[in-house]
């Protein structure tokens, strides 16, 4: 039995990488990570606890040192025999966990896929057939990891297509992220939003119940469910008052998920995630609309940015931080629902001000209010309190609002400088 030993002073990313690398090398039945500094012990334990292998931690080797032994299928490591559970924690009795992600081509799906791969998961995704036919355009967010993914054609509008995928592979975890996620579009076409978001969620739950009731299920709930907020900040028990067909569809998905948990004893959780962004955000959402326009303004390709309600307040975090919370929710002993938020709220105006100041410009010289971007009913203020996620999951956001805005602006300037401007225009065109 081979054993990899990694020694050194680890920060969280290096520890994650070391763990993921060892986990990917299937031939290894066991590896250990030695942490030289006592301070990092709890960090190490936290990372291990998130990993797809059920870890065995022992502090007996030296103060501040951790040895982590892992079983692989039925082969016992020297450490494994000390495990009281007697199995490695997957539903199938072997170590490599399998996850299914719907919406893997979207912003969150792409970050989550990367994260699960880094933890050693076998990652599967459901994508629409048209995406497989146009990979350059529709798989761009996952192009860099595509070789490590198993993609299956399917649509949330078709129960048979979902049933087909779930009947052919056994999954430990399912992250249901696919949705018509643009609130403004849900006013334009509420029927298809409801159909994809409500029926699609129901199809996923029904197929899992039928075929794999032990598979853990994550539903992408949203702060839009709070809508006209009844309290500030919003927590897990804040009443819902959705203000759009999208918000209503997410409330329905939330209760479907809760009902499958209660009625069929399935491990189903709702993440109530507040707005989260990043360089992979769709161009139709206000943050990316702003940062992509800032890039064009900076490069002299545009001078005006037309927006709707500048006074709306949002609690904006980073998608790469938020997908970690999704994963943590499925590693708990019992299923539950969690708010994921930064606890800070900013107006759209503040976002504009900061984004344009990154390129030494004044937003008042470039931003124009255009009533066509107002919504029939607005969510005026969102700010979440993620105390429960911090306490139970040990999750907290790593990036600040300022870092988020800067990263998005710099990324758009970088892309536009290198990319064919016509291509960038095409991608951005729908929102100008
Ligand atoms: P996104 O970038 O818009 O991604 C949506 C994904 O859903 C895409 O992969 C899309 O596939 C897929 N999809 C849409 N309709 C589908 C259908 N009929 N069949 C199969 N796949 C379909 O959204 P996101 O920002 O990553 O958000 C992920 C989830 O979290 C969504 O459910 C969203 O509502 C929810 N959420 C997001 C936020 C946020 O701030 N980002 C906050 C709370 C909740 P295509 O690429 O083929 O279109
Ligand atoms: O960026 P947005 O379109 O995001 P919104 O509506 O908050 O929804 C996002 O976050 C939800 C979580 O709360 C997710 F569930 C959902 O899937 C999505 O990811 O708009 C943010 C705010 C709104 O108040 C909107 O009225 O920006 C305001 N806004 C002002 N001008 C604009 C514009 N929004 C867009 N998209 N485009 C504008 O020109």
């Amino acid at each position: 039995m081979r054993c990899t030993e990694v020694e050194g002073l680890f920060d969280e990313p290096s520890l994650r990488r070391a763990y993921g690398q060892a986990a990917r090398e299937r031939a290894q039945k066991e590896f250990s990570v030695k942490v030289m500094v006592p301070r990092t012990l709890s960090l190490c334990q936290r990372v291990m606890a998130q990993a797809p292998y059920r870890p065995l931690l022992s502090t007996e080797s030296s103060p501040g040192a951790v040895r982590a032994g892992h079983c692989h299928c039925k082969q016992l490591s020297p450490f494994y025999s000390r495990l009281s559970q007697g199995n490695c924690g997957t539903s199938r009795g072997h170590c490599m966990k399998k996850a299914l992600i719907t919406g893997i081509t979207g912003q969150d799906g792409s970050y989550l896929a990367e994260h699960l791969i880094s933890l050693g998961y076998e990652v599967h995704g459901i994508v629409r057939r048209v995406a497989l036919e146009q990979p350059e355009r529709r798989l761009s967010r996952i192009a860099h990891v595509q070789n490590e993914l198993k993609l299956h054609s399917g649509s949330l509008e078709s129960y048979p297509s979902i049933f087909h995928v779930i009947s052919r592979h056994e999954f430990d975890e399912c992250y249901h992220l696919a949705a018509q996620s643009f609130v403004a579009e849900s006013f334009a076409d509420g029927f298809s939003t409801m159909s994809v978001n409500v029926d699609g969620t129901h199809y996923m739950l029904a197929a899992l119940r039928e075929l794999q009731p032990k598979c853990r299920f994550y539903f992408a709930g949203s702060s839009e469910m709070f809508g006209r907020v009844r309290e500030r900040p919003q927590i897990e028990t804040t009443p819902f008052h959705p203000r759009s067909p999208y918000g209503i569809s997410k409330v329905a998905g939330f209760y479907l998920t809760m009902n499958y948990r209660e009625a069929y004893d399935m491990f189903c959780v709702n993440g109530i995630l507040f707005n989260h962004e990043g360089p992979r955000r769709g161009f139709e959402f206000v943050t990316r609309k702003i940062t992509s326009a800032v890039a064009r303004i900076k490069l002299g390709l545009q001078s005006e940015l037309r927006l709707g309600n500048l006074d709306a307040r949002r609690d904006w975090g980073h998608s790469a931080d938020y997908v970690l919370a999704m994963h943590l929710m499925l590693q708990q002993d019992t299923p539950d629902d969690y708010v994921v938020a930064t606890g800070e709220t900013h107006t759209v105006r503040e976002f504009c001000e900061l984004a344009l100041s990154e390129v030494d410009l004044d937003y008042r010289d470039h931003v124009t209010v255009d009533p066509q971007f107002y919504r029939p009913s607005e969510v005026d203020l969102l700010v979440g309190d993620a105390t429960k996620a911090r306490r139970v999951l040990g999750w907290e956001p790593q990036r600040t609002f300022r870092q988020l805005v800067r990263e998005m602006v710099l990324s758009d300037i970088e892309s536009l400088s290198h990319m064919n401007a016509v291509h960038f225009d095409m991608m951005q065109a729908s929102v100008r």
Side-chain angles (χ1 to χ4, degrees):
M1 189 177 293
R2 282 168 45 203
C3 178
T4 301
E5 195 152 288
V6 196
E7 286 193 30
L9 198 158
F10 289 101
D11 54 9
E12 184 157 342
S14 349
L15 203 49
R16 278 183 195 291
R17 270 197 301 279
Y19 196 93
Q21 184 192 332
R24 273 198 297 277
E25 290 169 21
R26 311 276 193 88
Q28 293 182 169
K29 310 305 181 227
E30 140 188 12
F31 74 96
S32 66
V33 177
K34 239 188 210 172
V35 179
M36 306 308 287
V37 179
R39 191 181 63 75
T40 56
L41 184 62
S42 63
L43 166 66
C44 183
Q45 279 168 334
R46 192 150 58 83
V47 173
M48 297 298 176
Q50 294 165 20
Y53 291 62
R54 177 73 46 108
L56 178 71
L57 297 172
S58 157
T59 52
E60 66 203 16
S61 42
S62 66
V66 172
R67 287 186 72 81
H70 307 273
C71 74
H72 190 268
C73 301
K74 293 180 180 68
Q75 304 197 38
L76 300 185
S77 77
F79 306 109
Y80 177 64
S81 55
R82 288 188 240 135
L83 261 179
S84 56
Q85 293 94 324
N87 68 49
C88 61
T90 67
S91 63
R92 289 160 292 103
H94 55 89
C95 283
M96 185 77 163
K97 273 193 183 175
K98 270 195 200 178
L100 174 64
I101 304 176
T102 71
I104 196 168
T105 56
Q107 173 189 246
D108 293 2
S110 65
Y111 283 117
L112 178 64
E114 263 173 27
H115 179 54
L116 296 181
I117 289 168
S118 80
L119 293 176
Y121 277 65
E122 182 176 308
V123 180
H124 295 240
I126 293 184
V127 300
R128 297 194 251 198
R129 195 171 61 84
V130 65
L132 296 172
E133 285 168 358
Q134 299 178 326
E136 304 79 19
R137 212 170 140 232
R138 292 176 175 266
L139 298 180
S140 59
R141 291 188 181 104
I142 49 171
H144 59 297
V145 286
Q146 206 181 325
N147 290 342
E148 297 174 77
L149 300 172
K150 296 181 194 307
L151 299 181
H152 311 283
S153 152
S155 165
L156 284 189
E157 285 146 282
S158 151
Y159 182 71
S161 72
I162 287 167
F163 191 90
H164 181 83
V165 175
I166 296 177
S167 67
R168 272 161 179 71
H169 302 270
E170 218 179 321
F171 300 109
D172 298 287
E173 295 167 12
C174 172
Y175 297 86
H176 176 42
L177 310 184
Q180 192 302 97
S181 71
F182 187 32
V183 173
E185 171 62 19
S186 80
F187 286 108
D189 186 356
F191 292 94
S192 70
T193 301
M194 294 298 277
S195 160
V196 168
N197 294 6
V198 182
D199 290 344
T201 302
H202 203 174
Y203 295 158
M204 290 298 301
L205 285 163
L208 285 171
R209 181 189 165 215
E210 180 74 19
L211 300 165
Q212 300 185 41
K214 294 281 175 230
C215 175
R216 296 183 169 205
F217 180 81
Y218 172 88
F219 174 66
S222 163
S223 49
E224 272 290 306
M225 301 187 297
F226 297 125
R228 180 182 277 170
V229 299
R230 307 277 181 87
E231 60 183 342
R232 175 184 175 167
Q234 295 84 53
I235 56 175
E236 289 78 6
T237 53
T238 302
F240 296 145
H241 185 146
R243 298 270 284 166
S244 63
Y246 169 82
I248 295 165
S249 75
K250 287 290 176 181
V251 171
F254 177 96
Y255 284 118
L256 277 167
T257 302
M258 182 187 263
N259 188 242
Y260 270 69
R261 176 166 79 213
E262 293 173 354
Y264 308 117
D265 203 22
M266 287 168 63
F267 195 109
C268 298
V269 308
N270 287 295
I272 308 175
L273 271 54
F274 283 62
N275 297 54
H276 45 279
E277 320 290 317
R280 299 182 196 168
R281 189 56 147 148
F283 284 97
E284 65 273 39
F285 300 95
V286 78
T287 55
R288 188 76 194 280
K289 181 173 172 181
I290 296 167
T291 60
S292 59
V294 169
R296 289 181 54 81
I297 292 168
K298 165 79 177 165
L299 298 179
L301 300 168
Q302 175 180 338
S303 65
E304 189 188 34
L305 167 59
R306 303 184 82 80
L307 294 172
N309 181 9
L310 299 183
D311 296 317
R313 291 185 160 274
R314 289 291 181 275
D315 179 332
W316 277 298
H318 198 298
S319 173
D321 286 344
Y322 284 33
V323 298
L324 305 191
M326 297 177 187
H327 174 253
L328 286 169
M329 285 179 216
L330 293 194
Q331 313 313 309
Q332 304 308 305
D333 290 337
T334 48
D336 206 344
D337 307 325
Y338 299 89
V339 158
V340 177
T342 70
E344 269 184 40
T345 188
H346 298 273
T347 60
V348 173
R349 180 180 280 101
E350 283 166 23
F351 196 105
C352 292
E353 193 173 357
L354 196 52
L356 277 147
S357 74
E358 284 294 336
V359 293
D360 300 322
L361 294 172
D362 187 330
Y363 85 98
R364 288 168 297 190
D365 297 332
H366 299 278
V367 174
T368 308
V369 171
D370 183 339
Q372 74 159 301
F373 296 112
Y374 274 78
R375 292 174 183 177
S377 50
E378 175 66 286
V379 171
D380 297 318
L381 176 144
L382 290 174
V383 57
D385 176 350
T387 300
K388 182 175 170 185
R390 284 176 203 263
R391 181 171 42 82
V392 180
L393 307 178
W395 176 87
E396 50 189 311
Q398 300 298 312
R399 286 124 171 132
T400 64
F401 178 65
R402 184 173 283 274
Q403 285 169 336
L404 169 72
V405 177
R406 164 170 288 200
E407 184 186 342
M408 290 180 71
V409 169
L410 294 182
S411 164
D412 275 330
I413 292 174
E414 168 87 3
S415 308
L416 187 53
S417 313
H418 289 97
M419 197 190 279
N420 173 347
V422 176
H423 183 49
F424 193 85
D425 263 9
M426 265 168 46
M427 295 199 298
Q428 204 201 24
S430 58
V431 296
R432 275 188 287 125

